[in-house]
Amino acid sequence: MSNPILYNRCDLRNRGIKISNSTLLRLEASGRFPKRVRIGDHTVAWMASEVDQHIRDLANARGGQK
């Protein structure tokens, strides 16, 4: 799918977000990473648009290009 709505953990890693689940949970709880969406009893994902915006915001905060 060229324009996914949800990202799974593998998608996050492919975008350079290589942090543990416990760190993700901590960042989500503190509002420093988009919150996950529960899509099954043992499955979570993240809204692609929110993750992509988060990455853009981080790049812009450090003076990166849009």
Side-chain angles (χ1 to χ4, degrees), residues 7-46:
Y7 288 156
N8 60 27
R9 285 185 178 93
C10 184
D11 295 323
L12 293 181
R13 283 191 301 278
N14 289 338
R15 280 158 183 73
I17 302 170
K18 299 176 181 180
I19 54 181
S20 70
N21 188 52
S22 58
T23 300
L24 278 172
L25 285 167
R26 206 171 19 258
L27 291 172
E28 289 171 32
S30 68
R32 294 173 30 212
F33 194 80
K35 293 202 181 273
R36 62 189 69 205
V37 176
R38 185 159 298 281
I39 58 175
D41 289 342
H42 304 285
T43 307
V44 297
W46 291 262

